[in-house]
Amino acid sequence: MLSPSTTPVRQSSVRAHNLALVLHTVANGANHPSRAAIAAATGLTRATVSALVDDLVAGGLLVEVDPPPRTGAGRPAAGLALTSTGPAGLGCEINVDYLAACVVDLTGAVRQRFAEHADQRPADPAHALAALGRLAARARLAAEADGLIVAGAALAVPGLVGDGGLVRVAPNLGWQDVDAVAALRAVPELADLPITVDNEANLAALGELRVSGGDPAFLYVSGEVGIGAGLVIGGELYRGVRGWSGEIGHVTVYPDGRECRCGSRGCLEQYAGQEALADDVPRAAAALGIALSAVVNLLDVPVIVLGGAYAPIFAALRDGIETELRRRVLTAGLAPVTLRPAALGADAAMRGAADTIIRGVREDPAAWLRARA
Amino acid sequence: MLSPSTTPVRQSSVRAHNLALVLHTVANGANHPSRAAIAAATGLTRATVSALVDDLVAGGLLVEVDPPPRTGAGRPAAGLALTSTGPAGLGCEINVDYLAACVVDLTGAVRQRFAEHADQRPADPAHALAALGRLAARARLAAEADGLIVAGAALAVPGLVGDGGLVRVAPNLGWQDVDAVAALRAVPELADLPITVDNEANLAALGELRVSGGDPAFLYVSGEVGIGAGLVIGGELYRGVRGWSGEIGHVTVYPDGRECRCGSRGCLEQYAGQEALADDVPRAAAALGIALSAVVNLLDVPVIVLGGAYAPIFAALRDGIETELRRRVLTAGLAPVTLRPAALGADAAMRGAADTIIRGVREDPAAWLRARA
DNA sequence: TCAAATAATTCAACCACTAAACAATTTCAG
DNA sequence: CTGAAATTGTTTAGTGGTTGAATTATTTGA
């Protein structure tokens, strides 16, 4: 069955779906599958796959490459691969001490990367975003000189993002109601791009999803100055109704505990934020364990990935967290919760941002072909 | 676009999708829409809608009824409505002091309802389920005498349910690893039905979704002996990776607080479960507020529905909960969290269970038509 | 009484997929 | 060295489902 929705479906939707299916199979399947292998993997006929592949090759999304090693008799296959000269995503990140932009191609490879280290807190938002825009523009031009076509840009910010890319609050940057999309679009070299803005932890979770490959459901916890989380379920990011999910840093751990900047008491951030972390690792681990137990009890998430400042000290945190999980997760006895460090380092959010763009092309190649026609 | 998935799509899937779309439009749209109105609402052509409606009428899912009041000139329309003599769902519930079964027709109307009050804790699972099975069989026979066709049964239990309807743990019933599906299927009158089992709070959330209509995203909190929760997002129930989401009763509220039956300390259940509730309502409200704040911070859920034992004392709980939400939810200042009592009473879970069956028919009418052919 | 309006059906055209036959290219047995 | 078997990829006729335009049906209102 197709997804329940309120829009009609016609033959062109079938084509769009199956184009995405073929592209997905090439991207996530074995090395350089043949048309016949794609047909076998998807259940489509070889005739249909051939027609779909023709469209994707003509549209510059797939290329024929050397076939996989032969096995037995028969006409040799033509291998298919994602192109490395087609659409690409521009990922940007602004953080407390860090500006960065990168370009990722359809295969997921990072083709350009520019970063600038500097404390952004004294700068006003307009200046910081202008500097980031210049960085992004350089990345875009360098990528396009390489034959890539930047299909869009996404920006990761450590804060709450509202509709239209409006940054409602970014406490650690001192921002409030900043129109980041407009600021980036003001850079001439970026003016023609679709630009989106999203929370840093959400995008880092997507970055982790891309590189880790395996887990279709996990919680990514990002320990920075603040603590954010990105929830991936069924291979997709869950953003919440208004896009404000994942604020694990302000989950109450000790109801009458330390005062928090947010006005509450006993927030996780006060015990496991970057500052508290320096003081008392065991207590941070316990606090994390308590908050994560709540997540697992509520959402039944089987895997937790620790990123940001937590990744390098994963070994020191592990025991303390797991002790609390064992004690406090109701289903701990039925199935364990897996804890692991993040695979990507500081670039996770930026990589995830770029990934949202290429993800868009991969999930709806028909739209890309139409636009390129 | 269609949903990304790993299965191919063919013309028959288009048909299946559009049949569901038409049925959905009749079910959720204005009163008794005409074919032309459906075409306008869905974007399909009138020719296509006519063909789809023919199939649905022939398959006994839609009936022509008196048209809506005329407005101006033109040939009068034929109104369409869900049939009340077609497929129906059998909903069952077993709880600490309560057995019940009901039959709900395609329109959502309760057509049969049987209940038996008795403490189930002394009875062993087999006896209790046999008694429930007899109740369900009576409901089914009475419904089928009315022209309904029971398409399946669903059972609500206060516990964790694993694959294949195995009840892994139901603490308040004292159950462990009970094969509830097999027990119900042992009743001859139910042997031919597809039977599913789900958590009581999850199903109550679905029941609430059906009657409340409006909110596409909310958390339903069920205060019984234990405390469960069902999360609805985008009009669908979120079950978690293993179906064990919603265990809000064992979210830690006071890390060093009262010991809980589960082996942990400071679980919400110890402060806001039915027993604690009798002692100290303000404290229960505060504890609920703390746990719910965690949910909102993590998931950005805009609406919380209080059901079970909480519904009748909603007024007494409201202030205490809202105080904590205001203090502890990071985004409380950006958009308020709505708190409201459940619309359905004790029958919520049973209604939700029956609803899963008719939901199945509504979401894939093509499968029903094929089976009836 | 007839024109205008609206509802529903019919029919030719189109699009995408399937199934089966065919063409191309290789392996391997004799 | 030759030809049968195997495998890939293409071609072609057929089918199912939607569209759009024409047609039929039925009512209102000038």
Side-chain angles (χ1 to χ4, degrees):
Chain A
M1 259 296 289
L2 305 185
S3 66
S5 90
T6 54
T7 51
V9 164
R10 28 196 124 254
Q11 282 91 330
S12 63
S13 329
V14 172
R15 188 74 170 180
H17 177 101
N18 287 338
L19 281 168
L21 179 59
V22 168
L23 199 60
H24 175 88
T25 306
V26 175
N28 300 18
N31 293 350
H32 304 170
S34 65
R35 291 164 174 79
I38 295 171
T42 59
L44 295 163
T45 63
R46 280 177 299 157
T48 303
V49 170
S50 276
L52 293 166
V53 165
D54 285 349
D55 278 9
L56 292 169
V57 170
L61 294 176
L62 289 183
V63 286
E64 290 208 347
V65 296
D66 286 346
R70 308 294 320 280
T71 64
R75 169 175 168 176
L80 293 164
L82 297 179
T83 178
S84 55
T85 58
L90 176 57
C92 308
E93 176 167 8
I94 183 163
N95 225 313
V96 174
D97 53 358
Y98 185 68
L99 293 177
C102 72
V103 174
V104 172
D105 68 21
L106 194 62
T107 71
V110 178
R111 301 289 291 274
Q112 299 292 335
R113 182 179 179 287
F114 294 87
E116 245 174 46
H117 290 263
D119 193 334
Q120 300 304 322
R121 276 174 290 193
D124 77 304
H127 272 83
L129 286 167
L132 179 59
R134 285 192 295 276
L135 222 55
R138 280 169 56 196
R140 181 187 188 181
L141 294 179
E144 299 198 327
D146 246 15
L148 292 168
I149 304 165
V150 172
L155 169 64
V157 296
L160 296 171
V161 179
D163 291 336
L166 185 70
V167 181
R168 300 298 303 271
V169 199
N172 297 320
L173 290 172
W175 287 13
Q176 201 153 5
D177 289 320
V178 173
D179 188 342
V181 170
L184 285 181
R185 213 189 292 284
V187 178
E189 293 92 339
L190 306 177
D192 61 317
L193 288 182
I195 301 177
T196 60
V197 183
D198 210 328
N199 175 272
E200 169 252 341
N202 279 350
L203 293 174
L206 278 180
E208 192 65 25
L209 174 65
R210 170 70 65 206
V211 293
S212 82
D215 298 314
F218 62 87
L219 184 81
Y220 176 92
V221 184
S222 159
E224 307 285 345
V225 175
I227 307 173
L231 179 64
V232 171
I233 291 167
E236 299 210 31
L237 182 65
Y238 172 69
R239 281 190 169 79
V241 172
R242 294 163 295 210
W244 301 336
S245 70
E247 288 301 333
I248 198 175
H250 299 279
V251 164
T252 301
V253 178
Y254 301 103
D256 302 309
R258 297 184 192 154
E259 263 190 41
C260 181
R261 285 169 305 136
C262 75
S264 176
R265 276 188 173 281
C267 294
L268 174 64
E269 195 165 303
Q270 294 304 312
Y271 303 89
Q274 221 158 32
E275 289 145 34
L277 200 58
D279 294 348
D280 191 343
V281 172
R283 175 152 198 179
L288 270 170
I290 292 171
L292 290 174
S293 299
V295 177
V296 177
N297 276 320
L298 286 167
L299 295 174
D300 181 32
V301 184
V303 176
I304 293 168
V305 178
L306 295 182
Y310 297 143
I313 59 166
F314 178 76
L317 291 168
R318 177 171 208 156
D319 265 3
I321 296 175
E322 283 186 342
T323 301
E324 296 296 334
L325 288 174
R326 268 196 304 275
R327 179 184 305 165
R328 299 183 186 277
V329 170
L330 188 66
T331 58
L334 296 177
V337 178
T338 304
L339 210 58
R340 63 172 176 79
L344 284 175
D347 283 357
M350 178 174 69
R351 293 276 293 273
D355 191 61
T356 61
I357 306 299
I358 67 171
R359 183 177 298 266
V361 176
R362 284 201 192 178
E363 286 178 359
D364 192 4
W368 172 261
L369 299 183
R370 227 178 302 126
R372 293 270 106 196
Chain B
M1 258 298 289
L2 305 184
S3 67
S5 89
T6 54
T7 51
V9 163
R10 28 197 124 254
Q11 281 92 326
S12 63
S13 331
V14 172
R15 188 72 167 182
H17 176 101
N18 287 338
L19 282 168
L21 179 59
V22 167
L23 200 59
H24 176 88
T25 305
V26 174
N28 300 19
N31 293 349
H32 304 170
S34 64
R35 291 165 174 78
I38 295 171
T42 57
L44 294 164
T45 63
R46 279 176 302 163
T48 304
V49 170
S50 276
L52 292 165
V53 165
D54 285 351
D55 278 10
L56 292 170
V57 169
L61 293 176
L62 288 183
V63 286
E64 292 207 347
V65 296
D66 286 345
R70 310 293 320 281
T71 64
R75 170 175 168 178
L80 293 165
L82 297 179
T83 177
S84 54
T85 57
L90 177 56
C92 307
E93 175 167 8
I94 182 162
N95 224 313
V96 175
D97 53 357
Y98 186 70
L99 292 177
C102 72
V103 174
V104 172
D105 69 21
L106 194 61
T107 72
V110 178
R111 302 289 292 272
Q112 299 292 334
R113 182 179 179 288
F114 294 86
E116 244 174 46
H117 290 263
D119 194 335
Q120 300 304 323
R121 275 172 292 192
D124 76 305
H127 273 84
L129 286 167
L132 179 59
R134 286 192 295 275
L135 221 55
R138 281 168 57 197
R140 180 185 188 180
L141 295 179
E144 299 198 327
D146 246 15
L148 292 168
I149 305 164
V150 172
L155 169 64
V157 296
L160 296 172
V161 179
D163 291 337
L166 184 71
V167 181
R168 301 298 303 271
V169 199
N172 297 319
L173 290 172
W175 287 13
Q176 202 153 4
D177 288 320
V178 173
D179 188 343
V181 170
L184 285 182
R185 214 189 292 285
V187 178
E189 293 93 337
L190 306 177
D192 61 318
L193 288 182
I195 301 177
T196 60
V197 183
D198 211 328
N199 175 271
E200 170 251 339
N202 279 351
L203 292 174
L206 278 180
E208 190 67 25
L209 174 65
R210 168 70 64 207
V211 293
S212 82
D215 298 314
F218 63 87
L219 183 81
Y220 177 94
V221 184
S222 160
E224 307 285 344
V225 175
I227 307 173
L231 180 63
V232 171
I233 291 169
E236 300 210 30
L237 183 65
Y238 172 69
R239 283 191 169 79
V241 171
R242 295 162 294 209
W244 301 336
S245 70
E247 288 301 332
I248 196 174
H250 298 279
V251 164
T252 302
V253 177
Y254 301 103
D256 302 309
R258 298 183 192 155
E259 264 189 40
C260 182
R261 284 168 305 136
C262 74
S264 176
R265 276 189 172 277
C267 294
L268 174 64
E269 196 165 304
Q270 293 305 311
Y271 302 90
Q274 219 157 32
E275 289 144 35
L277 201 58
D279 293 347
D280 191 342
V281 171
R283 175 151 199 180
L288 269 169
I290 293 170
L292 291 174
S293 299
V295 177
V296 177
N297 276 319
L298 286 166
L299 295 173
D300 182 32
V301 184
V303 175
I304 293 167
V305 179
L306 296 183
Y310 298 143
I313 59 165
F314 178 77
L317 291 169
R318 177 170 208 157
D319 265 3
I321 296 175
E322 284 186 341
T323 300
E324 296 296 333
L325 288 175
R326 266 196 304 276
R327 179 183 306 165
R328 299 184 186 276
V329 171
L330 187 67
T331 59
L334 296 177
V337 178
T338 304
L339 209 59
R340 63 173 177 79
L344 285 175
D347 282 357
M350 179 175 67
R351 294 275 294 273
D355 191 61
T356 61
I357 306 299
I358 66 171
R359 185 178 296 265
V361 176
R362 284 199 192 180
E363 286 177 359
D364 192 4
W368 172 261
L369 300 183
R370 227 178 300 126
R372 291 271 107 196

